[in-house]
Amino acid sequence: MENIAPKPIPLKHVAIEGGFWAERQRVNRERTIPAIYRKLEETGRIKAWSGIRTHEMPRERSVVHMFWDSDTGKWLESVAYSLATHPDPELKSIADELIDAIEGAQQGDGYLNTYFPLLDPAGKWANLRDWHELYNAGHLIEGAVAYFQATGERKMLEVLRRFADCIDATFGAEEGKLRGYPGHPEIELALVKLYRETGEERYLELARYFVDERGRAPHYFDLEAAKRGESREDFWAQTYRYCQAHAPLREQTEANGHAVRACYLYAGIADIALETGDEELLTLSRRLWDDLTQRQMYLHGGVGPSHSNEGFTFAYDMPTETAYAETCAAIALAFWAQRMFHLDPDSRYIDIMERAIYNGSLSGLSLDGVGFFYANPLAAYPGVNPMGRWSGILDSGHFRRVDWFFCPCCPPNISRLIASIGEYSYSQQGSRIYVQLYHENSVTLAIGGQSLRLEQVTEYPWDGAIAFQVNAEQPLSFELALRIPDWCGEFAVSLNGVRQAVSVEKGYALVSREWTDGDRLELLLAMPVERVLPHREIRQVAGQVALQRGPLIYCLEEADNGPRLANVCIPSTAKLEAVFDGELFGGVAVIDGEALRIEPSPENSALYRFHSREQVAESAFRFRAIPYYLWANREPGEMRVWLRSC
Amino acid sequence: MENIAPKPIPLKHVAIEGGFWAERQRVNRERTIPAIYRKLEETGRIKAWSGIRTHEMPRERSVVHMFWDSDTGKWLESVAYSLATHPDPELKSIADELIDAIEGAQQGDGYLNTYFPLLDPAGKWANLRDWHELYNAGHLIEGAVAYFQATGERKMLEVLRRFADCIDATFGAEEGKLRGYPGHPEIELALVKLYRETGEERYLELARYFVDERGRAPHYFDLEAAKRGESREDFWAQTYRYCQAHAPLREQTEANGHAVRACYLYAGIADIALETGDEELLTLSRRLWDDLTQRQMYLHGGVGPSHSNEGFTFAYDMPTETAYAETCAAIALAFWAQRMFHLDPDSRYIDIMERAIYNGSLSGLSLDGVGFFYANPLAAYPGVNPMGRWSGILDSGHFRRVDWFFCPCCPPNISRLIASIGEYSYSQQGSRIYVQLYHENSVTLAIGGQSLRLEQVTEYPWDGAIAFQVNAEQPLSFELALRIPDWCGEFAVSLNGVRQAVSVEKGYALVSREWTDGDRLELLLAMPVERVLPHREIRQVAGQVALQRGPLIYCLEEADNGPRLANVCIPSTAKLEAVFDGELFGGVAVIDGEALRIEPSPENSALYRFHSREQVAESAFRFRAIPYYLWANREPGEMRVWLRSC
């Protein structure tokens, strides 16, 4: 084993032409990417770039205008990933036109923003705490790097390098620079991407500076507030925990505040730790990871239960109906998870990456690709809206996916994740190939100057049988490291039909040999329906059970099971059966089983009844659970992940 | 039976010198009333009255200044009730000085307000929807009527008559008047009180006008908003449901919006129905009552689950930890309940009045009389604050009573309720005396020109034995109507030691005879511990059970039962025992019983566990439940009313 860190196998080398993700990517290309572009246009976000030069302002000025550029950046990034594997000249020409406009909007000093130059010139860099210039920069940088990697064209990359240089000239510990850092982290991980692509160490150093300066005294957010004539107490969020700046980062022990900010920041820290070998940052990353994933993560990989701060509250606090669990936060957790693996190779990170992708992230998009969730609750009831109960009161309707948000961070985020799923599928460390995600695809590997193609054939996540077919011109030695997921209790490996004894190291079954063309490795992951019980401190679902099969969390919907799901109980002895339904949602495995409905008869309309005078009635019925990520794709109704256990 | 409606027996005729309420009234007099006065002083509310004349402004201008006068009004009302039964020259002189200042603040046209004359003269009557002038007026009128009834002194009453005349001259359906009505109802019931005290029908007519005009088209709140240059859409609460003005009142079918506004309004409607004999208002009252109490009321009589609108959401929506259930709303429900009884004599109203008083209202005050709850949740967990999860995030502390609020409507409200409890104890309808609340007291009755004194001797609510001792100079015929509470399954009546067969009519056991001095009537209400089950639509507590004994709801606190109350299960077969603990809280009945703690061992720290690999452990323990209204009077910790049933 070479003593270097594993890296993802790039997107371009992973061809996805069938199976679970091919269909999701097709919908993303054909529906989601165009739909988001239309919204960017309609809302003035596209026109704002040329408007900077022509002084034509967008139709309406809104309080989220300061964050507009991040939406463009993420959309461009999604387009880049899509173009990388599915070239589309028409889409590319739209992107190129946008890139020209972005280039045209750049100021002489490299500054790039559609809000401040015309709408508030004096506001430039005046409020890093709230005004998102560096957050926008990060997303534009990510888009630029992705676009260069997809197309080989440098224009966008050069524009963003100039902006990064402008930022580097403005912020830092050196004399004459502002000691600022972003209120909404994101640029840290983007700068590491820019460093990796360009080899320019200043970008890595700038990212490291942002991490090191964060939360230090004298507090930059205090200083800049004073310059604006405000005091610390005027901060709407009341606490710098909101933006993970309440203490120097290396002293922090818990995941805090706004969940998306937190996970982007932590992902950036992991990147910096990997690139710099900073042991303290590795320790910090593990500490924050353990806190978040062992005390503050929903079963579906969503994080941040609270609407009020879009973020964390306290350990084991897991409200279900009102779970915020922002789509972006689950996605950011997946980003962080992958980086943690590369920093500290262990399947436990990828297990959570898979959980967050297949459940709390994917639920953010409708099956038809044009409906989005911002919040991803674990139970739904008419009139309850996890985006704030108020909304529910107004319309008393069902919480449904919508086609856009006032602050539309989630739509392009889920779009870019789907477009780039190939990049999460494998990691390589010298001659060891980690298989991270199981799904139908074909990966081209380069090992010691030679290449081979490995085909992965599987119905995963509907089935646990996975076959790897080797296509190689000549024999090639390498090690396959097959992730054995945390939910899997039993597995078997066969090579060319012969059962193999394999060792498992840090969650990976290792198969090392000289592979030849036509070799077929089969992995069978037992995938029974699992009953999941919550930690004893999770009060909201005490005494309840959830169903999981393979990487998928399941839920009951009213469409299959009728209303009043709170009265449904799953007996601990109930036989639970996974059944593939080829018709439903284009083909999914559902879970069927016996349940009890325990409730008083409808004749008794008393709000409260005395036990001694009346017992409840039990009736058995056959329930059907569907994968959680597919909820709210049929007629509106109740939904529940956690069910009473009896 | 005379064909007239029953009326409360006035406060002054009910002497409370011992038992449950004597102690609460003592604490109210000695601690609560002075503490509230100090806060009124500290915050500038007292000084504001003289400031109107001297042009000295209160120290700081705050957004709640517009509501200040209501706090003064309620405090004065509480003082009046207290003086009525417990004269206190020192307290009276403080009140008289305040009344002088109020008189001095009155404008030439009778207008009375500490905000608008100096701070926003142009704002006078410009925003009835939000600016609470009529709400303030209502509370001042209530205070004035109570003060006159307590002291016989007319000054405050005359000041408020002039203000009522000013309001009457300003608002109404007549040509030249504004067709306005209050955004925050309250003045309706106050005007009926003023009418009853003065005999001036204009006040009743004005109250009726406010009710009839409410929600009519063209909508007054639209018109006045247009005058201010605003549109309907600018209304922060988004919907006139918030203030029960979304439709003409007579067309409304559900309790809606802000709960305190709703219940004050509904109480006023009941008053008007009673005084005018308006059958449609009676029907409306019954419809709203049934909706609210059969579909939207917490077990403790609290109403309005939502923090966002301080009010109602939808039927059967009963979150526990985040229950807003404002103290003022439970009190307002008790007010309404009493009025419903007088309109439609039936014990079902008083059953709910008792429930709201002993549980969701009384919980609003600490045992020491100087700590207040605004919200009254049915479960508590460190870090969760029903006043908004945000607060909990900031301090991660326990939700505790505090000594004041920014908007301090609740403290003087619970104070005036306690001071006036005597007025809720009996109603009289000719020669029928309804006993509404059981507690140690002595009532002076006037029947057909003769009087007698009836002593009620009881340990209620700790015990269901109640004795009535007759003190009369000569024999007197009347009927005692003894309320048989809804929670009571069995009762017995004895007269002078001889068991009586009694008939029960609309929830009252009737005992009619010629009573003579020394007669002793004994009522025994069986008071077992009751298990209460929720309606099948209340999803938040499905499968859970609550404990009630007599009128009191019980809860478990961490102080008695350790943490993780969500894992405590009450077996349906568990023996539950009421035990009087003479030490605890000055003497209360607690409930002891066997429970199970069902949870995995602490060694297993996994956030989610697979059922097939590990079972949970059960351990039996003896639990202790205390009356809900006494929670949060010891060391902070968890609390739960609803417990898992097994």
Side-chain angles (χ1 to χ4, degrees):
Chain A
M1 284 295 305
E2 296 88 330
N3 188 18
I4 51 159
K7 285 186 181 144
I9 290 181
L11 187 60
K12 276 191 148 172
H13 299 162
V14 182
I16 303 172
E17 300 303 337
F20 185 88
W21 287 103
E23 174 61 12
R24 301 303 296 179
Q25 291 196 332
R26 182 190 66 76
V27 172
N28 186 44
R29 285 194 307 275
E30 296 178 3
R31 308 288 312 274
T32 312
I33 287 177
I36 294 173
Y37 186 77
R38 276 193 299 276
K39 288 292 181 184
L40 294 177
E41 267 196 320
E42 282 173 19
T43 57
R45 282 163 166 81
I46 299 296
K47 193 163 181 194
W49 293 104
S50 55
I52 287 291
R53 199 165 44 174
T54 62
H55 283 230
E56 286 173 88
M57 274 298 92
R59 286 178 302 177
E60 58 182 55
R61 188 169 159 177
S62 78
V63 293
V64 297
H65 189 157
M66 287 179 199
F67 327 147
W68 277 12
D69 303 354
S70 65
D71 305 318
T72 311
K74 269 188 282 188
W75 180 81
L76 205 57
E77 187 184 347
S78 182
V79 168
Y81 296 144
S82 188
L83 294 177
T85 55
H86 294 83
D88 176 342
E90 197 179 336
L91 179 60
K92 183 171 179 297
S93 80
I94 294 170
D96 286 338
E97 196 178 326
L98 173 61
I99 289 169
D100 288 343
I102 292 173
E103 186 186 35
Q106 192 156 39
Q107 308 293 300
D109 63 354
Y111 184 79
L112 188 64
N113 188 291
T114 63
Y115 182 83
F116 290 97
L118 286 186
L119 293 172
D120 183 9
K124 181 179 167 185
W125 302 136
N127 185 344
L128 296 191
R129 191 190 67 196
D130 300 323
W131 293 350
H132 287 38
E133 286 151 294
L134 293 172
Y135 168 75
N136 291 334
H139 278 304
L140 289 166
I141 290 169
E142 283 202 273
V145 170
Y147 203 77
F148 171 71
Q149 290 173 346
T151 64
E153 294 174 16
R154 307 196 68 88
K155 184 184 285 180
M156 182 73 179
L157 187 66
E158 293 306 320
V159 169
L160 270 297
R161 279 193 70 158
R162 286 195 292 275
F163 191 16
D165 293 341
C166 162
I167 294 166
D168 185 43
T170 307
F171 299 101
E174 298 86 0
E175 191 66 32
K177 290 185 178 179
L178 296 170
R179 292 187 74 115
Y181 45 86
H184 195 317
E186 205 287 328
I187 195 172
E188 298 82 355
L189 71 86
L191 285 168
V192 176
K193 282 188 176 182
L194 188 62
Y195 155 68
R196 286 176 181 154
E197 189 53 58
T198 63
E200 177 61 72
E201 295 223 349
R202 276 189 301 115
Y203 303 138
L204 176 62
E205 285 310 307
L206 181 58
R208 191 180 192 168
Y209 156 77
F210 283 144
V211 164
D212 283 340
E213 189 64 23
R214 194 167 200 87
R216 281 203 179 154
H219 204 289
Y220 186 76
F221 295 163
D222 287 346
L223 302 177
E224 63 163 18
K227 275 196 214 167
R228 297 192 308 270
E230 298 164 13
S231 80
R232 179 178 200 142
E233 287 67 39
D234 297 327
F235 181 32
W236 71 271
Q238 304 270 326
T239 166
Y240 293 150
R241 279 182 194 272
Y242 176 71
C243 37
Q244 299 81 41
H246 55 293
L249 266 171
R250 289 166 198 264
E251 296 170 13
Q252 295 190 23
T253 55
E254 289 168 4
N256 261 299
H258 188 277
V260 179
R261 294 175 198 232
C263 292
Y264 282 156
L265 174 63
Y266 304 155
I269 292 172
D271 274 338
I272 295 163
L274 180 64
E275 296 297 342
T276 62
D278 186 325
E279 285 287 328
E280 202 179 43
L281 288 184
L282 167 62
T283 305
L284 170 67
S285 294
R286 282 198 184 122
R287 191 165 69 226
L288 294 171
W289 177 267
D290 288 348
D291 176 65
L292 187 147
T293 60
Q294 291 172 26
R295 284 181 285 277
Q296 304 205 62
M297 185 184 73
Y298 278 107
L299 182 61
H300 64 9
V303 291
S306 170
H307 170 247
S308 59
N309 65 342
E310 301 192 305
F312 298 104
T313 54
F314 49 85
Y316 308 112
D317 184 33
M318 307 279 178
T320 59
E321 283 180 1
T322 59
Y324 200 68
E326 185 180 336
T327 304
C328 284
I331 293 170
L333 177 60
F335 293 165
W336 183 25
Q338 190 195 31
R339 286 162 171 83
M340 287 304 294
F341 171 84
H342 293 130
L343 181 60
D344 180 23
D346 190 308
S347 70
R348 70 193 190 104
Y349 302 112
I350 304 301
D351 290 341
I352 283 178
M353 181 182 90
E354 181 180 53
R355 180 177 295 271
I357 289 174
Y358 275 97
N359 301 286
S361 300
L362 214 43
S363 55
L365 186 65
S366 63
L367 200 58
D368 66 9
V370 293
F372 304 98
F373 271 146
Y374 206 103
N376 296 277
L378 282 88
Y381 195 85
V384 178
N385 187 331
M387 302 291 286
R389 289 179 62 91
W390 190 241
S391 327
I393 293 160
L394 282 183
D395 56 23
S396 282
H398 287 266
F399 177 61
R400 307 297 294 171
R401 294 186 186 87
V402 295
D403 66 356
W404 196 241
F405 304 99
F406 180 61
C407 174
C409 48
C410 299
N413 223 350
I414 185 66
S415 175
R416 69 174 174 154
L417 177 69
I418 290 171
S420 62
I421 199 70
E423 190 141 339
Y424 298 88
S425 302
Y426 300 93
S427 297
Q428 182 170 359
Q429 185 176 34
S431 63
R432 176 182 282 184
I433 306 299
Y434 287 97
V435 186
Q436 308 287 34
L437 294 182
Y438 298 109
H439 61 97
E440 194 176 319
N441 72 80
S442 162
V443 59
T444 304
L445 303 171
I447 295 163
Q450 291 185 50
S451 83
L452 97 168
R453 195 159 58 82
L454 196 63
E455 275 180 66
Q456 197 185 139
V457 183
T458 179
E459 298 295 322
Y460 194 96
W462 311 124
D463 188 87
I466 303 128
F468 294 91
Q469 188 81 35
V470 173
N471 296 272
E473 289 185 7
Q474 61 228 2
L476 192 53
S477 286
F478 66 92
E479 185 176 53
L480 265 189
L482 305 166
R483 184 171 62 91
I484 307 303
D486 58 353
W487 49 260
C488 180
E490 259 188 290
F491 72 95
V493 175
S494 303
L495 180 68
N496 299 324
V498 181
R499 179 76 179 264
Q500 306 287 303
V502 294
S503 64
V504 176
E505 199 182 295
K506 293 191 172 180
Y508 290 85
L510 303 177
V511 186
S512 183
R513 72 188 304 259
E514 182 174 83
W515 303 80
T516 57
D517 191 57
D519 273 353
R520 183 178 173 88
L521 185 80
E522 288 174 320
L523 169 66
L524 187 66
L525 300 171
M527 201 182 261
V529 177
E530 291 278 1
R531 288 177 168 81
V532 185
L533 298 187
H535 188 281
R536 66 182 198 146
E537 295 281 357
I538 306 179
R539 68 201 186 282
Q540 288 99 342
V541 293
Q544 300 185 21
V545 61
L547 303 178
Q548 179 173 344
R549 180 172 176 268
L552 300 177
I553 306 305
Y554 279 70
C555 68
L556 265 61
E557 277 201 306
E558 187 173 338
D560 301 305
N561 302 283
R564 297 189 307 285
L565 297 177
N567 298 336
V568 173
C569 298
I570 310 292
S572 59
T573 54
K575 193 165 165 266
L576 306 173
E577 197 182 0
V579 179
F580 190 80
D581 183 332
E583 299 299 310
L584 188 66
F585 304 128
V588 296
V590 298
I591 297 173
D592 288 345
E594 286 293 328
L596 297 175
R597 191 179 286 281
I598 305 182
E599 58 183 19
S601 73
E603 285 72 45
N604 192 322
S605 67
L607 197 50
Y608 304 107
R609 293 161 298 113
F610 294 115
H611 198 202
S612 47
R613 295 186 202 154
E614 193 209 353
Q615 298 292 332
V616 293
E618 290 188 6
S619 58
F621 79 106
R622 207 156 168 78
F623 78 85
R624 164 157 293 193
I626 63 161
Y628 169 79
Y629 80 87
L630 287 166
W631 88 275
N633 276 295
R634 296 177 293 178
E635 63 269 42
E638 291 183 38
M639 181 277 290
R640 266 180 99 96
V641 169
W642 292 99
L643 301 158
R644 281 162 59 193
S645 176
C646 55
Chain B
M1 283 293 307
E2 296 87 332
N3 189 19
I4 52 161
K7 286 185 181 146
I9 290 182
L11 188 59
K12 275 191 150 174
H13 299 164
V14 183
I16 303 172
E17 300 302 339
F20 186 88
W21 287 103
E23 174 62 12
R24 303 303 297 179
Q25 291 196 333
R26 182 190 64 76
V27 172
N28 186 44
R29 285 194 307 276
E30 296 178 2
R31 308 290 309 276
T32 312
I33 287 176
I36 294 172
Y37 185 77
R38 277 193 299 276
K39 288 292 180 183
L40 294 176
E41 268 197 317
E42 282 173 18
T43 57
R45 282 164 167 79
I46 299 296
K47 194 164 179 194
W49 293 104
S50 55
I52 287 291
R53 199 165 43 174
T54 63
H55 284 230
E56 286 173 88
M57 274 298 92
R59 285 178 304 178
E60 58 181 53
R61 185 170 159 177
S62 78
V63 293
V64 296
H65 188 155
M66 287 178 201
F67 326 148
W68 277 12
D69 303 353
S70 65
D71 305 318
T72 311
K74 269 187 283 188
W75 180 79
L76 205 57
E77 187 183 347
S78 181
V79 167
Y81 296 143
S82 187
L83 293 177
T85 54
H86 293 82
D88 176 342
E90 197 179 336
L91 179 61
K92 181 169 180 299
S93 80
I94 293 171
D96 285 338
E97 196 178 324
L98 173 61
I99 289 168
D100 288 342
I102 292 172
E103 184 186 36
Q106 191 156 39
Q107 309 292 300
D109 62 353
Y111 185 79
L112 188 63
N113 186 292
T114 62
Y115 183 83
F116 290 98
L118 287 185
L119 293 172
D120 183 10
K124 181 179 166 185
W125 302 136
N127 185 346
L128 296 192
R129 190 189 68 196
D130 301 323
W131 292 350
H132 287 38
E133 286 151 296
L134 293 172
Y135 167 75
N136 291 334
H139 278 304
L140 288 167
I141 290 169
E142 284 201 273
V145 170
Y147 203 76
F148 172 70
Q149 290 173 346
T151 64
E153 294 173 15
R154 306 197 67 88
K155 185 184 283 180
M156 181 74 180
L157 187 66
E158 292 307 320
V159 169
L160 270 297
R161 279 194 71 158
R162 286 195 291 275
F163 190 16
D165 293 340
C166 161
I167 293 167
D168 185 43
T170 308
F171 299 101
E174 297 85 359
E175 191 65 32
K177 291 185 178 180
L178 296 171
R179 294 188 73 113
Y181 45 87
H184 195 316
E186 205 286 329
I187 195 171
E188 297 82 354
L189 72 87
L191 285 168
V192 176
K193 284 188 177 183
L194 188 62
Y195 155 68
R196 287 177 181 154
E197 189 52 58
T198 62
E200 177 59 74
E201 296 225 345
R202 277 189 301 116
Y203 302 139
L204 176 62
E205 284 310 307
L206 182 58
R208 190 181 193 168
Y209 156 78
F210 283 144
V211 163
D212 283 340
E213 188 63 24
R214 194 167 200 87
R216 282 205 179 152
H219 204 289
Y220 186 77
F221 295 163
D222 287 346
L223 303 176
E224 62 163 19
K227 274 196 213 165
R228 296 192 307 272
E230 298 164 14
S231 79
R232 178 177 199 141
E233 287 67 38
D234 297 327
F235 181 32
W236 71 271
Q238 305 268 330
T239 165
Y240 293 149
R241 279 182 194 273
Y242 175 70
C243 35
Q244 300 81 39
H246 55 293
L249 267 171
R250 288 166 198 263
E251 296 170 14
Q252 295 190 24
T253 55
E254 290 169 4
N256 261 299
H258 188 278
V260 180
R261 295 174 197 232
C263 291
Y264 282 156
L265 174 62
Y266 304 155
I269 292 172
D271 275 336
I272 295 163
L274 180 65
E275 295 297 342
T276 63
D278 185 326
E279 285 287 328
E280 202 179 43
L281 288 184
L282 168 61
T283 305
L284 171 67
S285 295
R286 283 198 183 121
R287 191 165 69 225
L288 294 172
W289 177 266
D290 288 347
D291 176 65
L292 188 148
T293 60
Q294 291 172 25
R295 283 180 286 277
Q296 304 205 62
M297 185 185 72
Y298 279 106
L299 182 61
H300 64 8
V303 290
S306 171
H307 169 248
S308 59
N309 63 343
E310 301 192 305
F312 298 104
T313 55
F314 49 85
Y316 308 112
D317 185 33
M318 307 278 178
T320 58
E321 285 181 0
T322 59
Y324 200 66
E326 184 178 337
T327 304
C328 284
I331 293 169
L333 177 62
F335 292 165
W336 183 25
Q338 191 195 30
R339 285 161 171 83
M340 286 304 294
F341 171 84
H342 293 128
L343 181 60
D344 181 23
D346 190 307
S347 70
R348 68 193 191 103
Y349 302 112
I350 304 300
D351 289 341
I352 283 178
M353 183 183 89
E354 181 180 52
R355 180 177 294 271
I357 289 174
Y358 275 97
N359 300 287
S361 300
L362 214 43
S363 55
L365 186 64
S366 62
L367 199 57
D368 66 8
V370 292
F372 304 98
F373 271 145
Y374 207 103
N376 296 277
L378 283 89
Y381 194 86
V384 178
N385 188 330
M387 302 291 286
R389 290 181 62 92
W390 190 241
S391 326
I393 293 159
L394 283 183
D395 57 24
S396 282
H398 287 266
F399 178 60
R400 306 297 293 171
R401 294 187 186 85
V402 296
D403 66 356
W404 195 242
F405 304 99
F406 180 61
C407 174
C409 48
C410 299
N413 223 351
I414 185 66
S415 175
R416 69 173 173 153
L417 177 69
I418 290 171
S420 61
I421 198 70
E423 190 140 340
Y424 298 88
S425 303
Y426 300 92
S427 298
Q428 181 170 0
Q429 185 176 33
S431 63
R432 176 183 283 185
I433 307 297
Y434 288 97
V435 186
Q436 309 286 34
L437 294 182
Y438 299 110
H439 61 97
E440 195 176 319
N441 72 80
S442 162
V443 59
T444 305
L445 303 172
I447 295 164
Q450 293 186 49
S451 83
L452 96 169
R453 194 159 58 82
L454 195 62
E455 275 180 64
Q456 198 185 141
V457 182
T458 179
E459 299 294 322
Y460 195 98
W462 312 124
D463 188 85
I466 303 127
F468 295 90
Q469 188 82 35
V470 172
N471 296 270
E473 289 187 8
Q474 60 226 6
L476 193 53
S477 285
F478 64 92
E479 185 177 52
L480 265 188
L482 306 166
R483 184 172 61 92
I484 307 303
D486 57 353
W487 49 261
C488 180
E490 258 187 290
F491 71 95
V493 174
S494 304
L495 180 67
N496 298 326
V498 181
R499 178 75 177 265
Q500 307 287 304
V502 293
S503 65
V504 176
E505 198 182 297
K506 292 192 173 180
Y508 290 85
L510 304 177
V511 187
S512 184
R513 72 190 302 258
E514 182 174 82
W515 303 79
T516 57
D517 191 56
D519 274 351
R520 184 179 172 88
L521 185 79
E522 288 174 317
L523 169 66
L524 187 66
L525 300 171
M527 202 183 260
V529 177
E530 290 280 1
R531 288 178 168 82
V532 185
L533 298 186
H535 188 280
R536 66 183 198 147
E537 294 281 357
I538 306 179
R539 67 201 187 282
Q540 288 100 341
V541 294
Q544 299 184 22
V545 62
L547 303 178
Q548 179 172 346
R549 180 172 176 269
L552 300 177
I553 306 305
Y554 279 71
C555 69
L556 266 62
E557 277 202 306
E558 186 173 339
D560 300 305
N561 302 284
R564 296 189 307 286
L565 297 178
N567 298 335
V568 172
C569 298
I570 310 292
S572 59
T573 54
K575 193 164 166 271
L576 306 172
E577 198 182 359
V579 180
F580 191 80
D581 183 332
E583 299 298 311
L584 188 66
F585 304 128
V588 295
V590 299
I591 297 173
D592 288 345
E594 287 291 329
L596 296 175
R597 191 180 285 281
I598 305 183
E599 59 183 17
S601 72
E603 286 73 44
N604 193 323
S605 66
L607 197 51
Y608 305 105
R609 294 162 297 113
F610 295 114
H611 198 202
S612 46
R613 297 183 200 156
E614 193 210 351
Q615 298 292 333
V616 292
E618 290 188 7
S619 59
F621 79 107
R622 205 154 170 80
F623 78 83
R624 164 156 294 194
I626 63 162
Y628 168 79
Y629 80 87
L630 287 165
W631 88 274
N633 276 296
R634 296 177 293 178
E635 63 270 40
E638 291 182 37
M639 181 277 289
R640 265 179 99 96
V641 169
W642 292 99
L643 301 159
R644 280 163 59 192
S645 175
C646 54

